[in-house]
Amino acid sequence: MDAEVPAGTVVVVIDVIRAFTTAAVAFERGVPGIACVPSAEAGRALRRRHPSRLLGGENGGLTPADFDFGNSPFEMSVAEVGGRELIQSTSNGTRGLVRYPAPAALLAASARNAGSTARWITKHHPATPCTLVCTGLTEEDRACAEHLRALLDGSAPRPADLVAGIMAGAAEHARSAAGLPAAERVDLSRDLPFCCDVDRSGFAMVGDIRPDHVALTMVRS
């Protein structure tokens, strides 16, 4: 995520566990738009200006007390969103999305919408260089990037290989959290089925850069 990305390229920011899986589920549930912000405080500031919006995400993996939702696709799948817009703040995914000021196009991706993301890029920017950004250091984002790159190259990668990478990444998360107090550990068990549901979402998530956030919209592909 800290690597320099040339201006004028298509930038795809990947967060499988869990930010952009949660975002995809939010769109599936009827959220009309998602404002991605770089920090919890930025999310609170944006909601003060737009009090009708829902606020979701995490800080250190855990849900802040004043947020409506956590960074959980399972939680989002049963949430009552009521057609309201969402503000999303996460430690990696949304923070990574706001880092790129001059892309040819900016997209958010997870395994859930990898195929739709590749189709959108192929349709709208077939000759533009594309940079895939892994926001985490664990295996799931790299596996998703490799899957997406193969799709963009015209190959037919195996969804099972992507799922195996996601599960390997989940195991890395579990090992890194093993030494934390129980209250600080994140239980991924209910979220992983959503993270591993390759190509469930038939849309790309396209970003529009605003002064203090990136506005994601759902674009069918």
Side-chain angles (χ1 to χ4, degrees), residues 49-163:
R49 300 201 304 274
H50 302 280
S52 66
R53 296 186 185 184
L54 298 166
L55 178 59
E58 50 81 17
N59 189 9
L62 304 176
T63 308
D66 56 342
F67 278 33
D68 299 301
F69 308 110
N71 185 35
S72 165
F74 169 78
E75 184 180 1
M76 188 58 65
S77 75
V78 296
E80 293 295 334
V81 297
R84 296 164 67 184
E85 294 196 10
L86 174 68
I87 301 166
Q88 187 183 29
S89 165
T90 68
S91 301
N92 290 323
T94 65
R95 186 169 66 89
L97 195 67
V98 303
R99 285 177 49 86
Y100 306 102
L106 180 63
L107 299 100
S110 66
R112 203 169 178 90
N113 74 330
S116 295
T117 301
R119 287 192 295 274
W120 188 94
I121 295 168
T122 300
K123 178 180 179 180
H124 295 282
H125 294 274
T128 306
C130 183
T131 301
L132 308 179
V133 178
C134 298
T135 58
L137 298 176
T138 42
E139 180 61 26
E140 72 278 3
D141 288 352
R142 181 177 296 276
C144 188
E146 291 173 351
H147 185 89
L148 185 52
R149 175 58 68 191
L151 291 172
L152 291 169
D153 289 343
S155 300
R158 296 189 336 133
D161 293 336
L162 175 51
V163 171

Side-chain angles (χ1 to χ4, degrees), residues 149-212:
R149 175 58 68 191
L151 291 172
L152 291 169
D153 289 343
S155 300
R158 296 189 336 133
D161 293 336
L162 175 51
V163 171
I166 296 168
M167 296 306 296
E172 291 181 67
H173 284 280
R175 287 193 295 271
S176 66
L180 296 174
E184 297 179 19
R185 296 178 202 157
V186 178
D187 181 5
L188 297 176
S189 60
R190 295 190 297 182
D191 292 327
L192 280 176
F194 294 88
C195 298
C196 292
D197 200 355
V198 178
D199 290 337
R200 170 65 63 179
S201 303
F203 51 80
M205 297 187 292
V206 182
D208 181 26
I209 298 172
R210 308 289 175 82
D212 57 356

